[in-house]
């Protein structure tokens, strides 16, 4: 058994250490981190200063807009007489609404929890499947105040 204590020899052999994290693991772990931080602050009786535990009106509106767009898209898929153009438009509207949630910089504890819960729910239905979704989520975490 060879114990590698330095990655330099591996790099010289042309091998690279890579991460095996995927979208599901990232969302699960980020959601777990949010839950763990909330449980810890609650257990210790610490209330984050100036943060509202409820999601902001902006995030609530984005989630409601996505739910509405998702329902409309489902109806367009199942209704007879809807043109393929109508289905494509409904699909694009649902995608835009979901990207808006993914892109939303959830700064407050309530927003972080609501965003993580909602995206985990969407991902459980395999609906969070475009590379743009993950890129938007990751970019939203780089918010600077």
């Amino acid at each position: 058994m060879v114990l590698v204590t330095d990655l330099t020899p591996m790099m010289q052999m042309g091998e690279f250490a890579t991460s095996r994290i995927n979208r599901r693991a990232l969302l699960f772990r980020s959601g777990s981190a949010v839950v763990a931080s909330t449980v810890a602050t609650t257990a210790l009786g610490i209330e984050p200063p100036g943060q509202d535990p409820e999601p902001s009106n902006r995030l609530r509106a984005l989630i409601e807009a996505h739910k509405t767009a998702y329902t409309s898209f489902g109806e367009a898929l199942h209704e007879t007489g809807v043109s393929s153009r109508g289905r494509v438009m409904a699909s694009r509207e649902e995608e835009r609404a979901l990207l808006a949630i993914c892109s939303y910089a959830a700064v407050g504890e309530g927003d972080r929890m609501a965003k993580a819960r909602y995206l985990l729910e969407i991902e459980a239905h395999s609906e969070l499947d475009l590379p743009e979704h993950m890129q938007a989520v990751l970019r939203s975490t780089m918010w600077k105040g």
Side-chain angles (χ1 to χ4, degrees):
M1 180 168 166
V2 176
L3 179 63
V4 178
T5 57
D6 185 356
L7 291 179
T8 307
M10 285 178 47
M11 299 287 190
Q12 290 172 350
M13 294 187 306
E15 296 179 24
F16 298 95
T18 59
S19 171
R20 293 192 182 259
I21 195 164
N22 60 23
R23 293 179 293 169
R24 183 176 302 249
L26 177 67
L27 285 171
F28 177 74
R29 289 182 181 143
S30 64
S32 297
V34 169
V35 171
S37 67
T38 303
V39 168
T41 56
T42 303
L44 296 173
I46 301 170
E47 186 65 31
Q51 293 185 352
D52 188 7
E54 293 294 316
S56 67
N57 289 336
R58 173 72 178 136
L59 182 58
R60 285 182 192 174
L62 290 173
I63 290 172
E64 285 305 314
H66 178 256
K67 287 178 179 180
T68 300
Y70 189 79
T71 300
S72 296
F73 176 54
E75 290 171 356
L77 286 177
H78 299 293
E79 284 184 19
T80 57
V82 176
S83 68
S84 62
R85 184 171 185 256
R87 290 181 179 122
V88 168
M89 288 175 48
S91 173
R92 287 184 183 158
E93 185 58 36
E94 184 273 335
E95 184 180 312
R96 272 189 230 110
L98 183 54
L99 279 171
I101 295 169
C102 292
S103 302
Y104 180 76
V107 178
E109 187 73 16
D111 277 359
R112 287 194 305 269
M113 288 293 293
K115 180 179 176 180
R117 279 190 196 119
Y118 190 72
L119 291 179
L120 284 169
E121 180 182 319
I122 295 300
E123 203 281 329
H125 300 288
S126 300
E127 298 290 336
L128 200 62
D129 55 351
L130 298 177
E132 292 85 359
H133 295 146
M134 187 51 56
Q135 291 167 4
V137 168
L138 293 172
R139 285 189 181 112
S140 75
T141 64
M142 297 188 306
W143 180 83
K144 294 180 182 178

